[in-house]
Amino acid sequence: MGRWRDGHGELVVGEVRVPLEIATSYRARTKGLLGRDTVEGALLLSPASSIHTFRMRFPIDVAYLDRRLRVIAVHTMKPGRLGLPRLRARHVVEAGGGVMEGWGVRVGVRVEVVAE
């Protein structure tokens, strides 16, 4: 798995490949999706075990991943919410509200991150 750097790649869920932004620096994780009207594909925050949607403009799907990239929780969050920390979470994937189900992201599924 290795360490990722800020940049781009793909989130692989079974046969589905989704464009992925990777945010590993404090600055990139803090900015996240703030100030955007949409997200193209998904955003990986690493390391992360909780998120918030304060000052966000749209609802998002949030998948919490453990250290082996297995999904331990998936939620849709409206703007202005604070997500509770997940004890086993090491990474968080964010995407537009309602899209993860179609990608097959659900509890127990293992995803893959392919960095460019």
Side-chain angles (χ1 to χ4, degrees):
M1 182 167 39
R3 291 208 176 263
W4 303 300
R5 294 190 124 111
D6 290 350
H8 294 89
E10 283 186 320
L11 179 71
V12 181
V13 187
E15 300 297 314
V16 178
R17 299 178 86 84
V18 178
L20 183 69
E21 284 182 57
I22 301 170
T24 59
S25 69
Y26 177 78
R27 182 182 190 131
R29 289 191 327 261
T30 302
K31 184 172 189 317
L33 297 175
L34 295 178
R36 299 193 205 181
D37 293 319
T38 185
V39 56
E40 194 67 42
L43 171 68
L44 171 72
L45 303 170
S46 178
S49 61
S50 68
I51 61 113
H52 68 83
T53 58
F54 299 120
R55 296 188 2 236
M56 291 193 63
R57 299 176 180 170
F58 57 97
I60 60 171
D61 280 357
V62 181
Y64 297 87
L65 311 177
D66 68 11
R67 59 189 169 92
R68 293 191 176 102
L69 302 184
R70 190 169 305 277
V71 178
I72 58 175
V74 182
H75 296 285
T76 300
M77 293 179 63
K78 294 178 181 175
R81 305 279 193 236
L82 178 62
L84 295 174
R86 302 286 166 174
L87 291 178
R88 293 183 6 250
R90 297 294 176 267
H91 319 282
V92 174
V93 176
E94 299 178 343
V99 301
M100 286 191 181
E101 186 176 349
W103 297 344
V105 175
R106 59 185 55 87
V107 173
V109 169
R110 190 171 183 279
V111 302
E112 184 182 350
V113 172
V114 180
E116 290 179 355

